[in-house]
Amino acid sequence: MGSISENCLGWAARDTSGVLSPYNFIRRDTGPDDVSLTITHCGICYADVAWAKNIPRNTIYPVVPGHEIVGIVKEIGFNVRRFKVGDHVGVGPYVNSCKTCEHCKIREEVHCDAETTHTFNSVDEDGTITRGGYSSYIVVQEGYVFKIPDNYSLISAAPLLCAGITVYAPMMRHKMNEPGKSLGVIGLGGLGHLAVKFGKAFGLHVTVFSTSNSKKDEALNLLGADKFIISSDMQQMESSAKALDFIIDTASGDHPFDPYMALLKPSGVLVLVGFPSEVKFNPMSLLAGSRAISGSVAGGTKDMQEMLDFCAANNIHPEVEVIPIQYVNEALERMENRDVKYRFVIDIANSLK
């Protein structure tokens, strides 16, 4: 099959300034196992800033970021069975994996032994560099494309493909979908606000921890949290000692861990999904009460599809600010300054020309 190679229009960073500007490039043809989709929207993730500015020190310039991709199928390869032209679909942080290791076989591709191929700034199996969703279309192998239920908004789906799965996967792994349990959420950004929404949909008692009182009203009234605690207020913190089954820590700024560990019940778990520069705690924080600390990144394709279906069935929608691609540099800067409620989504369809 395979279409004529057409120019794909995107926005790319050329150097460590991280500033993005228009960029034309060639996508591969649609192979027998591929799905080609017209991108309608792309969420903005902190990873986009990190690789645009070469913070992980492995950026291959020019880099086209974006791994919260949604759109409409425009072409399929002849082996593709799960999708048809016109379907609403999504693509997350990776677009390939080895398919044969023990993790890939159980659809936990995020842990692939050979390492997953990331949606941007990775080397694909044909030797080309992957380029992400700040672009007009993308070609991805069928197994790494997700069906977005017809009744669910594409704008809402975009942030689920990274921010959503990053909190959903560990919640499922630690059986935090059992009503009546108690959840703490540290930090109320793109990930944190979705952790609150999932927690409430699962029937949990949800406490939000923030450094600033300015988020209290939204945490309780917009997102439906049950309790709001200022993390620097030791009295408030101590009043919740041994009260939580589970904590999701989305904070990327440096912060102490012992005060939060003290809030966990015996056998409670703190899952770290943020990126502080170090993690330090007193061994007694773990030993006393048999507590655990765990980490998590994204999730496998099985969890991803389950989460999209769950959000559609339960009417869970991220809080987003939709922007044109021309505003992307300001948006990236605002995200670095935590000035977004709670996820930017780029309207590719109406602004990328």
Side-chain angles (χ1 to χ4, degrees), residues 200-216:
K200 292 311 296 177
F202 289 143
L204 309 182
H205 185 276
V206 179
T207 302
V208 170
F209 299 90
S210 180
T211 51
S212 134
N213 210 27
S214 65
K215 293 195 171 170
K216 181 174 183 175

Side-chain angles (χ1 to χ4, degrees), residues 42-43 45 47-48 65-69 91-94 119-120 132-134 158 161-162:
C42 185
C45 172
D48 302 347
H67 63 200
E68 294 184 341
I69 301 168
V91 176
Y94 51 89
T119 303
F120 67 89
Y134 293 15
L161 292 155
C162 178

Side-chain angles (χ1 to χ4, degrees), residues 79-100:
N79 292 336
V80 172
R81 295 287 170 269
R82 286 174 43 236
F83 301 102
K84 62 185 187 305
V85 172
D87 281 353
H88 289 187
V89 292
V91 176
Y94 51 89
V95 291
N96 206 349
S97 63
C98 80
K99 306 180 184 68
T100 55

